[in-house]
PDB file of all heavy atoms in Angstrom:
ATOM      1  N   GLY Y 305     -32.773  36.988-102.749  1.00  0.00           N
ATOM      2  CA  GLY Y 305     -33.759  38.050-102.803  1.00  0.00           C
ATOM      3  C   GLY Y 305     -33.675  39.052-101.667  1.00  0.00           C
ATOM      4  O   GLY Y 305     -34.301  40.122-101.725  1.00  0.00           O
ATOM      5  N   LEU Y 306     -32.881  38.759-100.648  1.00  0.00           N
ATOM      6  CA  LEU Y 306     -32.734  39.699 -99.531  1.00  0.00           C
ATOM      7  C   LEU Y 306     -32.121  41.025 -99.959  1.00  0.00           C
ATOM      8  O   LEU Y 306     -32.323  42.055 -99.299  1.00  0.00           O
ATOM      9  CB  LEU Y 306     -31.875  39.066 -98.429  1.00  0.00           C
ATOM     10  CG  LEU Y 306     -32.521  37.934 -97.622  1.00  0.00           C
ATOM     11  CD1 LEU Y 306     -31.468  37.173 -96.832  1.00  0.00           C
ATOM     12  CD2 LEU Y 306     -33.602  38.461 -96.701  1.00  0.00           C
ATOM     13  N   VAL Y 307     -31.418  41.020-101.065  1.00  0.00           N
ATOM     14  CA  VAL Y 307     -30.772  42.262-101.513  1.00  0.00           C
ATOM     15  C   VAL Y 307     -31.787  43.333-101.871  1.00  0.00           C
ATOM     16  O   VAL Y 307     -31.501  44.526-101.760  1.00  0.00           O
ATOM     17  CB  VAL Y 307     -29.833  41.983-102.718  1.00  0.00           C
ATOM     18  CG1 VAL Y 307     -30.623  41.660-103.979  1.00  0.00           C
ATOM     19  CG2 VAL Y 307     -28.925  43.179-102.957  1.00  0.00           C
ATOM     20  N   TYR Y 308     -32.987  42.944-102.295  1.00  0.00           N
ATOM     21  CA  TYR Y 308     -33.969  43.931-102.725  1.00  0.00           C
ATOM     22  C   TYR Y 308     -34.417  44.853-101.597  1.00  0.00           C
ATOM     23  O   TYR Y 308     -34.720  46.020-101.819  1.00  0.00           O
ATOM     24  CB  TYR Y 308     -35.176  43.234-103.371  1.00  0.00           C
ATOM     25  CG  TYR Y 308     -34.841  42.552-104.685  1.00  0.00           C
ATOM     26  CD1 TYR Y 308     -34.814  41.172-104.772  1.00  0.00           C
ATOM     27  CD2 TYR Y 308     -34.544  43.297-105.818  1.00  0.00           C
ATOM     28  CE1 TYR Y 308     -34.495  40.538-105.969  1.00  0.00           C
ATOM     29  CE2 TYR Y 308     -34.231  42.690-107.014  1.00  0.00           C
ATOM     30  CZ  TYR Y 308     -34.213  41.298-107.091  1.00  0.00           C
ATOM     31  OH  TYR Y 308     -33.881  40.684-108.270  1.00  0.00           O
ATOM     32  N   GLU Y 309     -34.465  44.311-100.359  1.00  0.00           N
ATOM     33  CA  GLU Y 309     -34.847  45.177 -99.250  1.00  0.00           C
ATOM     34  C   GLU Y 309     -33.717  46.153 -98.912  1.00  0.00           C
ATOM     35  O   GLU Y 309     -33.963  47.295 -98.514  1.00  0.00           O
ATOM     36  CB  GLU Y 309     -35.268  44.375 -98.013  1.00  0.00           C
ATOM     37  CG  GLU Y 309     -34.175  43.494 -97.417  1.00  0.00           C
ATOM     38  CD  GLU Y 309     -34.684  42.616 -96.283  1.00  0.00           C
ATOM     39  OE1 GLU Y 309     -35.889  42.666 -95.973  1.00  0.00           O
ATOM     40  OE2 GLU Y 309     -33.867  41.869 -95.712  1.00  0.00           O
ATOM     41  N   ALA Y 310     -32.470  45.719 -99.109  1.00  0.00           N
ATOM     42  CA  ALA Y 310     -31.345  46.620 -98.896  1.00  0.00           C
ATOM     43  C   ALA Y 310     -31.354  47.756 -99.914  1.00  0.00           C
ATOM     44  O   ALA Y 310     -31.070  48.918 -99.577  1.00  0.00           O
ATOM     45  CB  ALA Y 310     -30.025  45.844 -99.002  1.00  0.00           C
ATOM     46  N   ILE Y 311     -31.710  47.441-101.134  1.00  0.00           N
ATOM     47  CA  ILE Y 311     -31.809  48.468-102.163  1.00  0.00           C
ATOM     48  C   ILE Y 311     -32.907  49.471-101.819  1.00  0.00           C
ATOM     49  O   ILE Y 311     -32.745  50.685-101.996  1.00  0.00           O
ATOM     50  CB  ILE Y 311     -32.067  47.812-103.533  1.00  0.00           C
ATOM     51  CG1 ILE Y 311     -30.823  47.035-103.978  1.00  0.00           C
ATOM     52  CG2 ILE Y 311     -32.455  48.858-104.577  1.00  0.00           C
ATOM     53  CD1 ILE Y 311     -31.052  46.170-105.189  1.00  0.00           C
ATOM     54  N   GLU Y 312     -34.014  48.983-101.287  1.00  0.00           N
ATOM     55  CA  GLU Y 312     -35.113  49.862-100.880  1.00  0.00           C
ATOM     56  C   GLU Y 312     -34.697  50.756 -99.727  1.00  0.00           C
ATOM     57  O   GLU Y 312     -35.008  51.955 -99.704  1.00  0.00           O
ATOM     58  CB  GLU Y 312     -36.343  49.040-100.486  1.00  0.00           C
ATOM     59  CG  GLU Y 312     -37.484  49.837 -99.883  1.00  0.00           C
ATOM     60  CD  GLU Y 312     -38.203  50.751-100.883  1.00  0.00           C
ATOM     61  OE1 GLU Y 312     -37.804  50.794-102.056  1.00  0.00           O
ATOM     62  OE2 GLU Y 312     -39.174  51.421-100.455  1.00  0.00           O
ATOM     63  N   VAL Y 313     -33.996  50.207 -98.743  1.00  0.00           N
ATOM     64  CA  VAL Y 313     -33.530  50.994 -97.613  1.00  0.00           C
ATOM     65  C   VAL Y 313     -32.624  52.133 -98.099  1.00  0.00           C
ATOM     66  O   VAL Y 313     -32.789  53.292 -97.701  1.00  0.00           O
ATOM     67  CB  VAL Y 313     -32.773  50.115 -96.594  1.00  0.00           C
ATOM     68  CG1 VAL Y 313     -32.085  50.975 -95.539  1.00  0.00           C
ATOM     69  CG2 VAL Y 313     -33.727  49.121 -95.930  1.00  0.00           C
ATOM     70  N   ALA Y 314     -31.692  51.801 -98.979  1.00  0.00           N
ATOM     71  CA  ALA Y 314     -30.775  52.814 -99.493  1.00  0.00           C
ATOM     72  C   ALA Y 314     -31.548  53.899-100.264  1.00  0.00           C
ATOM     73  O   ALA Y 314     -31.248  55.096-100.130  1.00  0.00           O
ATOM     74  CB  ALA Y 314     -29.729  52.160-100.389  1.00  0.00           C
ATOM     75  N   ARG Y 315     -32.495  53.478-101.067  1.00  0.00           N
ATOM     76  CA  ARG Y 315     -33.297  54.436-101.844  1.00  0.00           C
ATOM     77  C   ARG Y 315     -34.019  55.412-100.919  1.00  0.00           C
ATOM     78  O   ARG Y 315     -34.011  56.623-101.128  1.00  0.00           O
ATOM     79  CB  ARG Y 315     -34.313  53.690-102.701  1.00  0.00           C
ATOM     80  CG  ARG Y 315     -35.160  54.584-103.598  1.00  0.00           C
ATOM     81  CD  ARG Y 315     -36.299  53.808-104.237  1.00  0.00           C
ATOM     82  NE  ARG Y 315     -37.336  53.476-103.277  1.00  0.00           N
ATOM     83  CZ  ARG Y 315     -38.312  54.306-102.905  1.00  0.00           C
ATOM     84  NH1 ARG Y 315     -38.357  55.550-103.397  1.00  0.00           N
ATOM     85  NH2 ARG Y 315     -39.220  53.918-102.031  1.00  0.00           N
ATOM     86  N   CYS Y 316     -34.659  54.856 -99.881  1.00  0.00           N
ATOM     87  CA  CYS Y 316     -35.443  55.691 -98.949  1.00  0.00           C
ATOM     88  C   CYS Y 316     -34.554  56.650 -98.174  1.00  0.00           C
ATOM     89  O   CYS Y 316     -34.869  57.837 -98.031  1.00  0.00           O
ATOM     90  CB  CYS Y 316     -36.222  54.811 -97.986  1.00  0.00           C
ATOM     91  SG  CYS Y 316     -37.576  53.891 -98.763  1.00  0.00           S
ATOM     92  N   ILE Y 317     -33.439  56.153 -97.646  1.00  0.00           N
ATOM     93  CA  ILE Y 317     -32.541  56.994 -96.854  1.00  0.00           C
ATOM     94  C   ILE Y 317     -31.990  58.134 -97.714  1.00  0.00           C
ATOM     95  O   ILE Y 317     -31.940  59.298 -97.280  1.00  0.00           O
ATOM     96  CB  ILE Y 317     -31.401  56.157 -96.244  1.00  0.00           C
ATOM     97  CG1 ILE Y 317     -31.951  55.236 -95.147  1.00  0.00           C
ATOM     98  CG2 ILE Y 317     -30.303  57.062 -95.670  1.00  0.00           C
ATOM     99  CD1 ILE Y 317     -30.939  54.265 -94.579  1.00  0.00           C
ATOM    100  N   LYS Y 318     -31.597  57.833 -98.927  1.00  0.00           N
ATOM    101  CA  LYS Y 318     -31.036  58.863 -99.798  1.00  0.00           C
ATOM    102  C   LYS Y 318     -32.077  59.889-100.224  1.00  0.00           C
ATOM    103  O   LYS Y 318     -31.730  61.003-100.612  1.00  0.00           O
ATOM    104  CB  LYS Y 318     -30.359  58.202-100.988  1.00  0.00           C
ATOM    105  CG  LYS Y 318     -29.076  57.476-100.563  1.00  0.00           C
ATOM    106  CD  LYS Y 318     -28.302  56.856-101.709  1.00  0.00           C
ATOM    107  CE  LYS Y 318     -27.022  56.206-101.171  1.00  0.00           C
ATOM    108  NZ  LYS Y 318     -26.177  55.652-102.243  1.00  0.00           N
ATOM    109  N   GLN Y 319     -33.361  59.532-100.124  1.00  0.00           N
ATOM    110  CA  GLN Y 319     -34.434  60.480-100.414  1.00  0.00           C
ATOM    111  C   GLN Y 319     -34.943  61.184 -99.167  1.00  0.00           C
ATOM    112  O   GLN Y 319     -35.865  61.989 -99.230  1.00  0.00           O
ATOM    113  CB  GLN Y 319     -35.601  59.767-101.095  1.00  0.00           C
ATOM    114  CG  GLN Y 319     -35.291  59.319-102.516  1.00  0.00           C
ATOM    115  CD  GLN Y 319     -36.501  58.713-103.223  1.00  0.00           C
ATOM    116  OE1 GLN Y 319     -37.610  58.758-102.722  1.00  0.00           O
ATOM    117  NE2 GLN Y 319     -36.255  58.142-104.382  1.00  0.00           N
ATOM    118  N   GLY Y 320     -34.317  60.885 -98.025  1.00  0.00           N
ATOM    119  CA  GLY Y 320     -34.700  61.537 -96.770  1.00  0.00           C
ATOM    120  C   GLY Y 320     -35.975  60.989 -96.157  1.00  0.00           C
ATOM    121  O   GLY Y 320     -36.585  61.663 -95.314  1.00  0.00           O
TER     122      GLY Y 320
END
Side-chain angles (χ1 to χ4, degrees):
L306 289 165
V307 71
Y308 292 110
E309 62 186 2
I311 291 170
E312 173 70 359
V313 171
R315 183 190 72 83
C316 291
I317 290 174
K318 290 183 178 183
Q319 290 185 9

